[in-house]
Amino acid sequence: MTSLKHSFNRRQWLRMGAAGAASALVPASWPKLHAAEAAGANGCDTGTAFTLPLFVPGMDGEGGRLVLGRDPIVLKAATNGSALAFSATMDARRFANPTLATSTGATVQIALDNTLPEPTVVHWHGLAVDTRNDGNGETLVQPGAQFRYEFAVRNRGGLYWYHPHPHGSTARQVAGGLFGLMDVDDEEQRALRQALELTPGDTELTLVLQDRRAGDANRYAPAPEDELYGWYGCLPHVNGVLRPFHRVTARRYRLRILNASNARTYRLALRRDNGSTLPLLLLGTDGGLLERPVACTELLVSPAERIDVLADFGSTSAGDFVILESRAFDPMQAVTNVPPATAADGKSGEHGHDSLRTTGSLPDGAPFALMQFRIGGPRGANPPVPSRLSRMPQAHANADESRPLRLGFAKGRWRINDRVYDPAATPIEVPRGARETWLLRNYHASAPHAMHLHGFQFHVLERETSPDFLAGLAVDAKGRLPTDLGLKDTVLVWPGESVRIAIDFRHPFAESQMYLLHCHNLEHEDAGMMLRVHVG
Ligand code: C2O
Ligand code: CU
Ligand code: CU
């Protein structure tokens, strides 16, 4: 297929150099709002006042939509005080963490310019690229250096994202703000927008969820318990704003949501002011649109997962409020062999979530409000939802053998098959052209692990021995959740649970390729809960 030789021409790169110079700094407005600064005395205001408007990215600035064209762009990793951002310029428009817009079949040319005082690298989360372009961290871009990505977009339309991947520093760089969305368009996406009369930025919103800590406490300095369980912030932000509100009209809205949090899982639901739950329609997942919409009332979204949902405000009236909230769940975090620093707080670790005493934090599984929708304005047209959304590739027939991958904790570290990441070892060898099934089995005294595979989207075939509350949300006899019906690149595996997935490893690259399987709880990942996957 696409040759990955560098075909950038000299004129293009010269132009890039010039553009790059003009965007030496991220826009002065970055970060737009650290509403955290305004929070309560302990910095952890868990109130429910929605006083700030939702930030909706436009055609420039923070999260602005940057349409990738024929010419390469420069993405500059830069610091601005304690915040980090990718900056870019195009046609005199300046961006911070741009939403990179492209479409299936396009060729993307992006130069990463590292102006940080430390190495970094960009990984295109969810994209089916070769190792050279995957940015898996085994090759780093040193301070002052540039790296040129060039790849064909082989994925279906959907919401993907990009973030740094330097092993050991990924969590700190992402928490610092270095990440952005990648919006891949295709026929099916266009058809959906047309059928539902959706306007991006208006009736179609992208919502990026990230929990932060207040002010100085948000500077990434994990305590031992944070390193073990993950970096949890007590201030849930949506598009960089703490508990925002947004005005909508009484019609359907498409919400495309990314969980960009280091460690937190959200149990998302919409609650009306009379206390009832507003039903949702799941349209898509990590790897694009579902075959048909799936009705549900709540959705679990673990770190790095994306959901594409339709919220119907058509049954509400002007003056009503609807709250996007994360509902309570038992995070089941428990380790049998807690390191001394955590054991010191006097808990045995048998009920590990009780020992999660993250400084000023909202523990994983605690309920909170994320944002408020205020219904107003005229009741507009509300076209019906198409019954068919896409043609999803089918899962291959269940192979007789599954590759076992055991998730657990030993000798102070989270592990996969008792191993931690070793850049010199390749524990998973996949023969060329293979279609495999993998069995992800999480030990009962563990933590939920958001397992992510680079380079491939997969199907979730079944869940077994799931926690009770999860079984209650299942949509079929295989224990699958609504999001399991779509293509996935990240799947949450609960303590005691087994999740079987099917992966089609066929790829068009002439050479064999190296990818990664890891937990997307970034503290788990940085501590080595990651294995190399060699695909022939
Ligand atoms: Cu989004 Cu290797 O990760
Ligand atoms: Cu990835
Ligand atoms: Cu994990």
Side-chain angles (χ1 to χ4, degrees), residues 432-465:
R432 190 168 184 91
R435 285 185 273 189
E436 299 201 345
T437 59
W438 287 10
L439 184 61
L440 300 159
R441 293 169 58 185
N442 199 352
Y443 189 60
H444 69 275
S446 185
H449 295 294
M451 300 307 295
H452 168 54
L453 176 67
H454 283 213
F456 300 88
Q457 295 286 328
F458 53 79
H459 291 266
V460 176
L461 299 176
E462 58 180 329
R463 288 181 185 265
E464 277 180 351
T465 56

Side-chain angles (χ1 to χ4, degrees), residues 192 196 253-257 268 279-286 288-301 305-312 385-389 392 475 480-488:
L192 177 71
L196 289 171
Y253 277 70
R254 181 188 187 191
L255 309 176
R256 306 172 82 196
I257 302 176
L268 296 180
L280 297 168
L281 269 189
L282 182 69
L283 302 176
T285 55
D286 303 342
L289 294 174
L290 299 173
E291 217 134 72
R292 36 189 79 75
V294 176
C296 51
T297 52
E298 52 182 71
L299 291 159
L300 285 154
V301 190
E305 282 191 287
R306 285 87 67 208
I307 54 167
D308 189 344
V309 293
L310 215 50
D312 191 355
V385 184
S387 56
R388 180 144 196 127
L389 301 175
M392 250 181 62
V475 291
R480 293 190 296 175
L481 302 173
T483 48
D484 294 336
L485 304 181
L487 284 179
K488 299 290 296 163

Side-chain angles (χ1 to χ4, degrees), residues 338-389:
V338 280
T342 302
D345 85 357
K347 301 289 196 275
S348 67
E350 274 304 304
H351 299 283
H353 55 277
D354 291 336
S355 71
L356 181 55
R357 297 250 182 277
T358 319
T359 343
S361 176
L362 191 65
D364 201 16
F368 54 88
L370 276 151
M371 69 172 286
Q372 181 196 52
F373 292 98
R374 297 184 183 167
I375 291 83
R379 191 176 289 269
N382 207 8
V385 184
S387 56
R388 180 144 196 127
L389 301 175

Side-chain angles (χ1 to χ4, degrees), residues 67 76 84 109 116 131 160 173-174 185 198 203 211 234 238 265 268 271 323 349 384 405 420 441 451 471 486 490 503:
V67 181
K76 189 183 288 270
L84 305 172
Q109 298 186 0
L116 301 175
T131 304
Y160 303 87
Q173 291 189 0
V174 173
D185 206 14
L198 295 169
T203 48
D211 55 334
C234 55
V238 182
T265 289
L268 296 180
R271 184 172 46 84
I323 308 290
L405 292 153
V420 291
R441 293 169 58 185
M451 300 307 295
T490 307
I503 315 153

Side-chain angles (χ1 to χ4, degrees), residues 414 447-451 519-521 524-525 529:
W414 299 107
H449 295 294
M451 300 307 295
C519 179
H520 222 287
N521 175 315
H524 294 185
E525 173 185 353
M529 193 177 185

Side-chain angles (χ1 to χ4, degrees), residues 52-137:
L52 299 163
L54 176 73
F55 174 69
V56 178
M59 298 306 286
D60 63 4
E62 227 184 305
R65 188 171 180 85
L66 193 164
V67 181
L68 298 172
R70 288 238 189 110
D71 291 342
I73 63 148
V74 178
L75 206 53
K76 189 183 288 270
T79 52
N80 185 3
S82 61
L84 305 172
F86 290 111
S87 69
T89 51
M90 181 182 258
D91 306 333
R93 287 176 299 145
R94 301 170 76 194
F95 299 85
N97 290 338
T99 296
L100 301 174
T102 184
S103 49
T104 306
T107 296
V108 165
Q109 298 186 0
I110 296 170
L112 170 66
D113 190 354
N114 183 12
T115 72
L116 301 175
E118 58 177 322
T120 191
V121 67
V122 171
H123 166 60
W124 314 99
H125 182 118
L127 294 192
V129 297
D130 64 334
T131 304
R132 187 198 165 278
N133 286 288
D134 185 55
N136 64 18

